[in-house]
Amino acid sequence: MRKFNIRKVLDGLTAVSAVASASSAAQQQQAGNRETEIQETLQSEHFQLCKTVRHGFPYQPSALAFDPVQKILAIGTQTGALRLFGRPGVECYCQHDSGAAVIQLQFLINEGALVSALADDTLHLWNLRQKRPAILHSLKFNRERITFCHLPFQSKWLYVGTERGNIHIVNVESFTLSGYVIMWNKAIELSSKSHPGPVVHISDNPMDEGKLLIGFESGTVVLWDLKSKKADYRYTHDEAIHSVAWHHEGKQFICSHSDGTLTIWNVKSPTKPFQTITPHGKQLKDGKKPEPCKPILKVEYKTTRAGEPFIILSGGLSYDTVGRRPCLTVMHGKSTAVLEMDYSIVDFLTLCETPYPNDFQEPYAVVVLLEKDLVLIDLAQNGYPIFENPYPLTIHESPVTCCEYFADCPVDLIPALYSVGARQKRQGYSKKEWPISGGNWGVITQSYSEIIITGHADGSIKFWDASAITLQVLYKLKTAKVFEKSRNKDDRPNTDIVDEDPYAIQIISWCPESRMLCIAGVSAHVIIYRFSKQEMTTEVIPMLEVRLLYEINDVETPDGEQVPPVPTPGTGSNPQSIVPQSHPSTSSSSSDGLRDNVPCLKVKNSPLKQSPGYQIELVIQLVWVSGEPPQQITSLAINSAYGLVVFGNCNGIAMVDYLQKTVLLNLGTIELYGSNDPYRREPRSPRKTRQPSGAGLCDINEGTVVPEDRCKSPTSAKMSRKLSLPTELKPDLDVKDNSFSRSRSSSVTSIDKESREAISALHFCETFTRKADTSPSPCLWVGTTLGTVLVIVLNLPPGGEQRLLQPVIVSPSGTILRLKGAILRMAFLDTTGSLVPPAHEPWREHYEDKDEKEKAKKRRPVSVSPSSSQEISENQYAVICSEKQAKVISLPSQNCIYKQNITETSFVLRGDIVSLNNSICLACFCANGHIMTFSLPSLRPLLDVYYLPLTNMRIARTFCFTNNGQALYLVSPTEIQRLTYSQETCENLQEMLGELFTLVETPEAPNRGFFKGLFGGGAQSLDREELFGESASGKASRSLAQHIPGPGGIEGVKGAASGVVGELARARLALDERGQKLGELEEKTAAMLYSADSFSKHAHEMMLKYKDKKWYQF
């Protein structure tokens, strides 16, 4: 543990950043003489940055696979991501370096491996026997494009079909090409005069591995004899083929076509289909062919012992069903069920009891991968109900617009949210357990609870349990239900300030201890919620309307005309500036016909039934002023101990007492300064820069003449149309060198740099408000986009009934502090350097009986005066972080004792003061991609890692740090990426991650039966080694494909684990590539330690038991 004397730290800081000026040095030395020493325990070795887990639905999915023995599901995406799902709580994210789309996935069933085929014509072999899967081998095709792959069960030879119509064969152990090639012209010979098109299907006959069924896009299907190297049968059809599936007995197969038909063929009758079905075609009279339908993109043919087979297909609807949702069709005997989906179908798979293709399949479920969802259908229950999905895949149900992250929450919070959320669950799900149940959970090393809150475009808010690197939805709150829905589009443009999503959430302020919640929405509305376990009906929704204005003085217009001066009566104390109402406003226009005193949204005037959970305490709306819409809210804070909520925008600040339902403060930003305004600015007319304004800081009298053309600004009715950042974070973004630069002067809602100063940070606390103060008192610290910090004093009445009767008195203190760049975050430390949390009231049920109310009157809020025990001589420290620098200021003296310039060329997007290892630090994320942490109070740099350049505003809007070294952001519209900057968490991560691969016995092969064994007709095996091995087929052309050793070989991992990286790993991988046999290991425990050997041995045992008794070489 190091002790830091302020004078010593000053010297170190001067060396680290050349920012300390002579005057501040003198100040700091004076401070150093007075201040006590503060022990700082955090060192740079406590910090390390790494990704932990990714939650949510895989963005832009493109491929699907399932291991029926391990019970693991794999999903590939268009950006080269790979997501693996086991039992709820076991999931994994991997990424192909190239970023090319995944076109197909194939499990090596029960081997702990997966083959991925990518759109850049590469094949990759993934090892799933380690907690973080890695690529063992890759193969890059140079001359041909991969279109389809097939790996037979318990085979090491992968068939690869190409766009040219050829089939190559890859040894999945060594990832090398066999010399055996099936050329398209040999396959079709004279059956067609033209090229048959790309290979769209490959599969071996379930009863005879020596017969390979090849489907070409044009409609030709060939049954190829692998031994004799010629086609046994050719089946031709007029319509293009999309997919093919076998009956398990190997005597029939089914094809799906582009005209919405299915053709069933007998293997030995190639001249015409045995049966043609048009599942969705209208049967016409006179025996005519049904009308053509949309293509059937995929078909599966699954048999059952007890009844009729299942034919399951996607697509094939008739063309006249315009606007109908995508469907999955399940045909079983004479019944046909059409299951509508919410999104288009990417792929589907039928889950069956057996991995053997030559046995009755016994299907029990269908996994349907949709564009934005994953659905599992229970085939065993009547009506085909869906399974309740246990994975957190609904993050994007409505687009995420903001995000907050809370670690180390009160222990009773998650159970409370879960109990009210459990009542919201839908009914009618399948009664069965979720069938994707593979893998094992990791070891939980974290004892604290974590909650993530997401705000959405439809006005909904979701609370998630994020403890121990898992994610589970707890409770959903719909904030839009307090407002009237507009029935027709004609009445919307009049009041809405956004084209769409008028209820979208922009800012969330939450007090976990009191459970008070406050949200700010895009339509300049604020809603305060109180948590209750009891249902209640609110007869009249409490509501306030606030007229937050911007002062207008006479300024020359661009064409030289003079605008008449506008009177500016009164300030925030003027009663006209407040319009408290308990019902929607009826005043819709001012005397000159401009829209005035109208909120953007209309609050319901009928009784509102409120379920247990979050219930409305108060709705506050900013109103239109003389034809100008209210500006969006840029900052928000709530304090349960004081009963206050405060919010600000680029016009000014408003404070509301939500207990008495009154507006306490309604001031323009300039008026906050009083006579201390450092800018000496003239407020300007909005017309000057043709930006929407929201009229003024002070009230404009109803009868004031306002120039009409000012209100005809082309942007005034459509300001800030698409919800992006809170205003102070709305930069002009120029993508240069993968980073962002920002022009301050054209901030989206600012008229110009000086006259439009937005409120960017708000913090309630109990501290010293003026230099002369001898004791701390409740106050509000206000930060602006111009780097100013102002302090407002709060004079609160005593608790109990007096709090509801006497007014809260608020007044500016005159204290002004300055930083470079917009203020982002403020916090306070006590004399020992510990964080002083804002005062809060503990949660209690609000609707109690009389006895409880009597007790409540005598109660005092917890930690309302956290500093009351301090002696008068003891001081505090204010920590202020702006988008350029951080300062630590001693209170009450207001001396800046530490200063750190965080960035010169970029700007900080998010700064949080967080606790870690029983200490605190400042964590920052910069637009240039750097994540940095600084000690407190000395602001020593502890971590600076280049992590992620700001490539879109979604990252800026959702990035947040929290306690215990946790952080997150929305990495795609559907996924949350979590990361840690704690070295301890990084070390424990391996233990916490789940295992995908578990040792499972492969089921017994189906019994051939006495007569089949006597007379033949059972499954025919094939010695593939003899056919495809180098000795039989020779070597493949070297220019056809290039072998690339994987970067994450198992041996490398094993070497690292045993402390011998490097040479051992390289030597062992070299042996693998030469195809040399590895020694057999008799103990299964040893086999698991040596993962690569285990891969070889396990497969070898399978081969000996069921197959052609050849070595697996790895």
Side-chain angles (χ1 to χ4, degrees):
M1 185 182 288
R2 287 174 67 186
K3 288 189 175 183
F4 281 92
N5 185 289
I6 281 138
R7 216 182 278 106
K8 288 177 185 171
V9 170
L10 173 68
D11 301 335
L13 258 178
T14 313
V16 171
S17 67
V19 294
S21 65
S23 62
S24 67
Q27 268 187 0
Q28 289 169 350
Q29 281 194 333
Q30 287 170 11
N33 294 332
R34 287 195 318 273
E35 311 293 348
T36 56
E37 291 180 348
I38 290 179
Q39 294 178 333
E40 290 187 2
T41 56
L42 284 179
Q43 304 296 330
S44 44
E45 55 264 27
H46 291 123
F47 293 88
Q48 184 183 341
L49 193 72
C50 70
K51 292 179 182 177
T52 52
V53 284
R54 184 173 290 201
H55 302 297
F57 182 77
Y59 183 55
Q60 295 179 325
S62 56
L64 183 66
F66 183 70
D67 185 325
V69 181
Q70 286 288 322
K71 301 222 177 327
I72 297 284
L73 186 78
I75 296 175
T77 75
Q78 291 177 29
T79 52
L82 192 58
R83 291 285 294 279
L84 297 140
F85 296 91
R87 65 178 61 194
V90 176
E91 55 179 276
C92 178
Y93 159 75
C94 319
Q95 178 69 47
H96 294 90
D97 289 341
S98 67
V102 179
I103 54 173
Q104 205 177 342
L105 295 170
Q106 288 264 306
F107 274 102
L108 278 67
I109 292 171
N110 206 23
E111 301 295 351
L114 175 78
V115 173
S116 58
L118 269 58
D120 63 356
D121 309 307
T122 53
L123 295 171
H124 304 275
L125 179 66
W126 289 86
N127 168 34
L128 309 182
R129 294 186 174 222
Q130 55 198 55
K131 288 193 169 184
R132 287 188 180 269
I135 292 174
L136 286 168
H137 298 288
S138 299
L139 194 65
K140 166 84 172 143
F141 279 73
N142 296 323
R143 297 196 308 234
E144 297 202 49
R145 308 222 62 184
I146 298 169
T147 55
F148 193 88
C149 298
H150 170 63
L151 180 68
F153 179 43
Q154 294 179 331
S155 164
K156 67 175 184 180
W157 298 98
L158 173 76
Y159 301 108
V160 181
T162 69
E163 200 172 49
R164 289 188 184 175
N166 304 324
I167 292 175
H168 301 278
I169 298 164
V170 176
N171 181 331
V172 291
E173 295 168 353
S174 60
F175 243 54
T176 53
L177 275 174
S178 162
Y180 191 115
V181 182
I182 303 170
M183 304 301 285
W184 68 270
N185 50 352
K186 285 270 189 185
I188 67 161
E189 279 188 351
L190 301 174
S191 63
S192 169
K193 291 177 182 177
S194 57
H195 189 278
V199 174
V200 294
H201 179 83
I202 309 168
S203 60
D204 43 347
N205 186 320
M207 286 296 180
D208 188 350
E209 293 171 352
K211 310 289 186 189
L212 198 67
L213 195 69
I214 306 162
F216 296 98
E217 191 179 66
S218 65
T220 301
V221 179
V222 173
L223 188 68
W224 182 264
D225 188 311
L226 289 165
K227 287 180 184 172
S228 64
K229 299 185 181 178
K230 62 179 176 47
D232 279 359
Y233 300 103
R234 295 184 182 88
Y235 315 83
T236 54
H237 194 68
D238 299 338
E239 294 296 333
I241 288 176
H242 285 277
S243 73
V244 185
W246 280 102
H247 186 283
H248 86 271
E249 288 176 349
K251 293 174 183 175
Q252 278 187 342
F253 62 88
I254 188 167
C255 301
S256 74
H257 298 280
S258 56
D259 64 344
T261 59
L262 298 171
T263 53
I264 299 174
W265 300 78
N266 284 334
V267 168
K268 294 185 177 176
S269 306
T271 49
K272 65 170 187 173
F274 164 71
Q275 191 181 358
T276 302
I277 309 166
T278 311
H280 296 284
K282 292 178 182 172
Q283 295 298 325
L284 302 174
K285 293 175 183 176
D286 310 327
K288 289 180 182 174
K289 279 176 73 177
E291 290 177 2
C293 295
K294 293 174 186 173
I296 294 176
L297 300 175
K298 184 172 182 180
V299 64
E300 292 205 337
Y301 197 10
K302 302 295 178 185
T303 52
T304 58
R305 274 190 174 80
E308 299 279 343
F310 282 88
I311 295 175
I312 301 166
L313 56 113
S314 64
L317 294 178
S318 61
Y319 280 103
D320 60 6
T321 53
V322 179
R324 189 168 178 184
R325 294 193 292 181
C327 294
L328 186 83
T329 306
V330 180
M331 301 167 71
H332 185 222
K334 290 180 179 177
S335 75
T336 299
V338 180
L339 309 174
E340 286 197 339
M341 302 290 157
D342 289 337
Y343 307 101
S344 55
I345 297 170
V346 175
D347 198 359
F348 73 88
L349 285 173
T350 310
L351 308 190
C352 301
E353 295 291 353
T354 177
Y356 294 94
N358 59 353
D359 195 7
F360 284 99
Q361 297 299 287
E362 303 296 349
Y364 59 89
V366 183
V367 184
V368 190
L369 177 62
L370 306 175
E371 206 172 42
K372 293 182 181 178
D373 202 1
L374 182 73
V375 176
L376 246 83
I377 296 159
D378 185 350
L379 289 179
Q381 265 182 261
N382 286 338
Y384 304 132
I386 63 168
F387 289 88
E388 184 175 7
N389 196 321
Y391 305 137
L393 302 183
T394 58
I395 291 167
H396 63 288
E397 193 174 21
S398 170
V400 176
T401 50
C402 65
C403 217
E404 291 297 335
Y405 191 6
F406 300 85
D408 222 359
C409 301
V411 289
D412 58 345
L413 202 48
I414 287 176
L417 287 164
Y418 182 82
S419 66
V420 294
R423 308 174 191 213
Q424 299 176 327
K425 289 197 172 177
R426 280 177 47 194
Q427 302 299 314
Y429 289 113
S430 168
K431 303 286 189 291
K432 292 186 179 173
E433 289 288 310
W434 182 252
I436 303 163
S437 55
N440 282 324
W441 292 305
V443 179
I444 296 173
T445 58
Q446 293 176 353
S447 56
Y448 54 87
S449 58
E450 297 170 74
I451 290 176
I452 294 170
I453 306 179
T454 52
H456 299 263
D458 65 354
S460 61
I461 288 174
K462 287 183 183 174
F463 290 78
W464 304 82
D465 177 3
S467 311
I469 68 169
T470 61
L471 193 70
Q472 181 187 5
V473 70
L474 291 169
Y475 171 71
K476 180 179 177 181
L477 170 67
K478 294 178 180 175
T479 66
K481 69 179 184 183
V482 71
F483 300 111
E484 298 278 5
K485 297 278 193 299
S486 53
R487 287 181 176 79
N488 56 351
K489 290 188 178 177
D490 299 338
D491 62 345
R492 284 189 58 191
N494 295 333
T495 53
D496 286 1
I497 57 169
V498 283
D499 285 340
E500 51 196 42
D501 303 326
Y503 312 110
I505 308 296
Q506 263 190 311
I507 312 173
I508 297 166
S509 177
W510 187 50
C511 175
E513 289 77 17
S514 67
R515 304 184 191 172
M516 290 300 294
L517 172 71
C518 187
I519 65 99
V522 76
S523 295
H525 62 282
V526 171
I527 311 178
I528 303 163
Y529 288 91
R530 192 183 288 277
F531 186 86
S532 172
K533 293 181 178 178
Q534 298 171 16
E535 187 176 289
M536 66 165 292
T537 300
T538 307
E539 294 299 324
V540 178
I541 296 165
M543 179 183 139
L544 286 175
E545 289 180 1
V546 178
R547 198 172 163 90
L548 197 55
L549 311 179
Y550 186 76
E551 190 174 350
I552 299 168
N553 275 2
D554 51 331
V555 175
E556 281 194 7
T557 54
D559 52 353
E561 292 174 15
Q562 290 294 317
V563 179
V566 177
T568 54
T571 61
S573 58
N574 180 355
Q576 278 188 323
S577 66
I578 303 163
V579 193
Q581 287 181 307
S582 58
H583 57 84
S585 167
T586 50
S587 164
S588 63
S589 62
S590 58
S591 57
D592 55 3
L594 296 172
R595 179 163 291 281
D596 193 53
N597 265 8
V598 184
C600 297
L601 303 171
K602 189 177 178 186
V603 174
K604 283 182 180 170
N605 50 18
S606 54
L608 183 69
K609 183 182 172 186
Q610 304 202 69
S611 306
Y614 275 102
Q615 298 172 350
I616 291 162
E617 174 81 2
L618 179 64
V619 178
I620 308 162
Q621 287 186 278
L622 296 183
V623 294
W624 285 61
V625 179
S626 304
E628 289 291 350
Q631 297 290 329
Q632 289 181 2
I633 290 159
T634 56
S635 56
L636 175 72
I638 188 168
N639 187 287
S640 57
Y642 305 157
L644 303 178
V645 68
V646 62
F647 56 93
N649 61 12
C650 64
N651 284 340
I653 185 171
M655 190 188 296
V656 170
D657 179 341
Y658 65 77
L659 298 176
Q660 295 188 24
K661 311 284 189 286
T662 56
V663 180
L664 301 174
L665 182 75
N666 182 5
L667 278 181
T669 322
I670 299 172
E671 292 169 312
L672 277 174
Y673 288 91
S675 59
N676 299 323
D677 186 0
Y679 293 108
R680 295 189 183 87
R681 51 197 149 186
E682 282 285 315
R684 301 184 183 178
S685 161
R687 176 137 183 237
K688 179 124 182 173
T689 49
R690 311 293 290 172
Q691 283 275 2
S693 83
L697 277 174
C698 302
D699 239 12
I700 299 176
N701 283 345
E702 294 280 317
T704 304
V705 177
V706 179
E708 268 188 46
D709 57 349
R710 183 180 69 75
C711 302
K712 291 177 184 170
S713 159
T715 53
S716 66
K718 292 198 170 190
M719 64 136 274
S720 182
R721 287 300 163 235
K722 295 294 174 202
L723 174 65
S724 56
L725 284 177
T727 310
E728 82 278 8
L729 293 182
K730 277 182 179 163
D732 286 357
L733 298 170
D734 309 310
V735 184
K736 287 175 187 166
D737 306 323
N738 229 4
S739 66
F740 280 74
S741 64
R742 156 142 83 173
S743 156
R744 263 263 158 245
S745 61
S746 53
S747 175
V748 172
T749 53
S750 67
I751 282 186
D752 69 38
K753 186 173 173 181
E754 290 173 355
S755 65
R756 300 311 290 274
E757 182 176 12
I759 308 295
S760 57
L762 295 162
H763 189 87
F764 284 106
C765 55
E766 188 150 328
T767 188
F768 302 92
T769 55
R770 299 177 182 88
K771 287 185 181 181
D773 281 4
T774 54
S775 63
S777 57
C779 56
L780 170 73
W781 284 52
V782 180
T784 76
T785 49
L786 293 189
T788 307
V789 176
L790 304 136
V791 183
I792 294 172
V793 182
L794 310 173
N795 198 331
L796 297 162
E801 270 185 17
Q802 291 301 306
R803 173 63 186 83
L804 300 175
L805 300 173
Q806 294 183 28
V808 177
I809 298 162
V810 295
S811 55
S813 67
T815 296
I816 293 182
L817 304 168
R818 301 275 303 131
L819 273 79
K820 205 161 64 173
I823 306 297
L824 298 180
R825 192 77 62 210
M826 295 175 280
F828 293 84
L829 314 182
D830 64 17
T831 191
T832 65
S834 303
L835 196 63
V836 179
H840 63 266
E841 194 176 48
W843 178 80
R844 67 177 191 274
E845 185 59 66
H846 193 54
Y847 310 104
E848 301 167 313
D849 55 31
K850 288 179 182 176
D851 295 342
E852 285 293 319
K853 281 189 176 173
E854 287 301 315
K855 287 180 194 171
K857 283 178 192 173
K858 296 169 188 172
R859 246 182 236 150
R860 285 287 297 167
V862 169
S863 71
V864 164
S865 68
S867 313
S868 56
S869 61
Q870 295 180 350
E871 293 175 22
I872 290 172
S873 62
E874 289 193 342
N875 55 3
Q876 288 188 355
Y877 304 98
V879 181
I880 305 169
C881 175
S882 80
E883 53 182 21
K884 289 290 186 182
Q885 61 180 193
K887 283 186 180 180
V888 174
I889 289 155
S890 175
L891 299 176
S893 67
Q894 296 181 15
N895 289 330
C896 174
I897 56 169
Y898 299 108
K899 182 166 101 173
Q900 176 67 260
N901 276 13
I902 299 168
T903 174
E904 292 289 347
T905 55
S906 184
F907 55 96
V908 178
L909 284 162
R910 178 81 184 207
D912 286 294
I913 290 99
V914 290
S915 64
L916 178 70
N917 294 11
N918 298 317
S919 189
I920 53 168
C921 64
L922 167 65
C924 297
F925 172 53
C926 278
N928 61 11
H930 283 255
I931 288 177
M932 295 178 270
T933 61
F934 301 91
S935 69
L936 287 174
S938 69
L939 293 175
R940 277 179 306 121
L942 296 171
L943 174 78
D944 185 349
V945 178
Y946 177 74
Y947 172 70
L948 171 87
L950 177 63
T951 48
N952 60 52
M953 295 313 293
R954 182 185 60 249
I955 296 168
R957 196 172 59 235
T958 57
F959 199 104
C960 43
F961 297 96
T962 188
N963 297 331
N964 300 330
Q966 307 291 343
L968 66 78
Y969 62 96
L970 218 69
V971 68
S972 75
T974 63
E975 296 163 291
I976 285 174
Q977 177 68 56
R978 287 166 72 178
L979 52 146
T980 182
Y981 49 96
S982 155
Q983 194 265 340
E984 185 185 354
T985 308
C986 287
E987 280 186 358
N988 295 333
L989 184 59
Q990 193 68 13
E991 285 180 40
M992 294 168 71
L993 292 171
E995 288 178 320
L996 286 165
F997 180 77
T998 50
L999 283 173
V1000 182
E1001 282 294 316
T1002 304
E1004 286 289 325
N1007 195 340
R1008 287 176 66 186
F1010 174 74
F1011 288 107
K1012 281 188 176 176
L1014 191 64
F1015 300 112
Q1020 303 292 313
S1021 62
L1022 172 75
D1023 190 338
R1024 295 190 180 95
E1025 184 71 39
E1026 197 177 291
L1027 273 178
F1028 306 144
E1030 202 173 300
S1031 56
S1033 61
K1035 287 187 176 179
S1037 165
R1038 286 194 174 187
S1039 62
L1040 184 63
Q1042 172 191 356
H1043 176 262
I1044 305 158
I1050 305 171
E1051 296 297 335
V1053 174
K1054 183 176 69 182
S1058 59
V1060 189
V1061 199
E1063 291 309 312
L1064 170 64
R1066 279 196 285 276
R1068 190 62 67 97
L1069 282 170
L1071 286 175
D1072 296 350
E1073 284 167 24
R1074 293 188 194 111
Q1076 295 184 13
K1077 299 173 185 176
L1078 296 178
E1080 228 178 293
L1081 296 172
E1082 298 196 355
E1083 302 273 336
K1084 273 190 179 176
T1085 51
M1088 288 181 72
L1089 171 65
Y1090 289 86
S1091 300
D1093 300 350
S1094 158
F1095 195 85
S1096 149
K1097 179 179 179 296
H1098 198 64
H1100 172 59
E1101 285 176 353
M1102 293 300 110
M1103 287 293 105
L1104 289 178
K1105 196 169 182 182
Y1106 303 118
K1107 284 305 195 185
D1108 38 17
K1109 300 190 179 180
K1110 293 288 177 185
W1111 267 98
Y1112 251 50
Q1113 314 163 62
F1114 212 99

